[in-house]
Amino acid sequence: MIESVDWSKLRQTIITAAHRAKLYSIDYWDKEASVVNKNIKLLTNLTEYQIKMLPLSSDLTVLDVGAGTGRMTLPIAKKVRHVTALEPSENMLRVLQENARQQQLFNIDYVNKPLEEIGLAPLYDFVVASFSLFMFDLKKAILKMNQLASKQVYLFMSASPWVDEDIQTVVYKNPSLWSDFILSYNILYDAGIVANAEIFTYTFEACYPSIKDATETFIQKYSLPSDKRNNLTEYLRANLIEKHDGFYYKHKKKAAMVWWNTNK
């Protein structure tokens, strides 16, 4: 008999082995708030596409899990009755509040807590989490989002490998093809949720002050081996686009929208 896979535990093991655990730290995102906010405009096409995928209407209430600096929160707020922005990083939430003030959006509540620490009331029509599934116990988090949504849950996540394959070929002998989508969808199934899924392609873009800054950012974010710094620098030097305000990294990626009805 073939033993079944505990996808939740497998994900935790892979996260630890890939040194991704720091991405699950509030301190990490506190430090990244200004960088994340700066790059929001570079992801405008992605944001607009995601908003079009969501069946939003003026009578809905929405919980945005891992709201960050408001890339999804703000455009959602323009289309629904009320949004609750749930964000454990105080710095991220502070920037989000300022962004909302500048856009004169007043139908947003701000909750500076992780998902694990909020109660099961009130219920929201929709629960949305966009590239923010940084919970070590994802199965527990998914079940809680399912409880909090009276109508539907929408999850956006990467369907590409965690580190771009081109970069992996520069620094690794054996590239890893694990993606958030592969692991998360199987965790959903283990939790008794047979979800819908739509895969789409988008262009990820980020700006760095210099080649050196880009190299260090990639090494830190993806825990790349530091002895491959020179290889990575040469790759970035050949592939980043220099403009008047910095060096731009653009890469085609696949993402997934996974959603289901909660039938409450």
Side-chain angles (χ1 to χ4, degrees):
M1 179 180 293
I2 299 175
E3 293 186 9
S4 61
V5 176
D6 186 328
W7 287 95
S8 184
K9 288 186 177 179
L10 176 60
R11 176 179 177 271
Q12 292 173 4
T13 299
I14 294 171
I15 286 170
T16 303
H19 305 289
R20 284 173 55 88
K22 65 185 174 187
L23 299 181
Y24 297 71
S25 163
I26 294 174
D27 289 342
Y28 175 84
W29 294 108
D30 274 340
K31 295 174 183 176
E32 290 292 306
S34 61
V35 175
V36 170
N37 193 56
K38 178 183 177 182
N39 285 322
I40 279 182
K41 290 182 179 179
L42 299 178
L43 298 173
T44 297
N45 290 338
L46 170 63
T47 305
E48 291 176 350
Y49 187 78
Q50 289 180 264
I51 294 298
K52 287 179 181 178
M53 295 176 83
L54 295 172
L56 302 174
S57 61
S58 59
D59 61 330
L60 294 174
T61 59
V62 177
L63 174 66
D64 186 7
V65 177
T69 62
R71 186 177 69 82
M72 290 289 285
T73 311
L74 303 182
I76 288 175
K78 295 174 183 177
K79 293 180 173 290
V80 303
R81 178 163 61 88
H82 191 272
V83 180
T84 296
L86 182 66
E87 174 53 56
S89 164
E90 184 177 352
N91 289 351
M92 287 277 197
L93 202 62
R94 187 182 298 114
V95 176
L96 168 52
Q97 288 175 295
E98 176 58 23
N99 289 341
R101 187 193 65 79
Q102 291 180 7
Q103 295 187 33
Q104 295 188 313
L105 293 170
F106 306 109
N107 60 334
I108 304 172
D109 281 343
Y110 307 92
V111 180
N112 185 208
K113 292 181 179 180
L115 177 67
E116 296 85 351
E117 293 183 9
I118 67 169
L120 293 176
L123 290 184
Y124 306 87
D125 294 317
F126 289 179
V127 172
V128 176
S130 177
F131 298 94
S132 59
L133 299 178
F134 296 109
M135 304 89 171
F136 196 65
D137 189 340
L138 184 57
K139 184 175 181 179
K140 183 177 180 180
I142 284 171
L143 290 173
K144 187 158 192 178
M145 285 187 274
N146 187 66
Q147 289 177 295
L148 286 164
S150 64
K151 295 181 179 179
Q152 292 177 311
V153 178
Y154 291 87
L155 308 178
F156 292 94
M157 63 194 74
S158 174
S160 292
W162 284 334
V163 184
D164 293 340
E165 291 180 68
D166 290 347
I167 292 179
Q168 289 197 56
T169 60
V170 174
V171 297
Y172 296 127
K173 290 183 179 179
N174 299 306
S176 170
L177 299 180
W178 288 112
S179 73
D180 290 322
F181 171 66
I182 292 172
L183 296 167
S184 301
Y185 193 86
N186 281 288
I187 291 171
L188 275 164
Y189 192 83
D190 279 354
I193 298 171
V194 181
N196 307 285
E198 181 174 341
I199 308 295
F200 59 95
T201 302
Y202 73 100
T203 300
F204 171 82
E205 187 172 3
C207 178
Y208 307 95
S210 67
I211 298 290
K212 181 179 178 181
D213 284 300
T215 300
E216 295 307 315
T217 298
F218 275 82
I219 288 174
Q220 293 300 316
K221 183 174 182 179
Y222 297 115
S223 299
L224 302 177
S226 58
D227 63 345
K228 297 292 185 179
R229 180 179 277 101
N230 291 340
N231 304 57
L232 179 60
T233 297
E234 290 308 309
Y235 170 82
L236 294 174
R237 195 185 307 280
N239 288 276
L240 266 60
I241 301 170
E242 184 176 5
K243 297 183 181 180
H244 69 281
D245 57 344
F247 292 80
Y248 285 75
Y249 178 75
K250 297 179 70 172
H251 196 83
K252 290 286 187 182
K253 290 178 175 284
K254 289 190 179 295
M257 181 177 80
V258 177
W259 78 100
W260 66 93
N261 297 323
T262 59
N263 299 317
K264 292 186 179 66

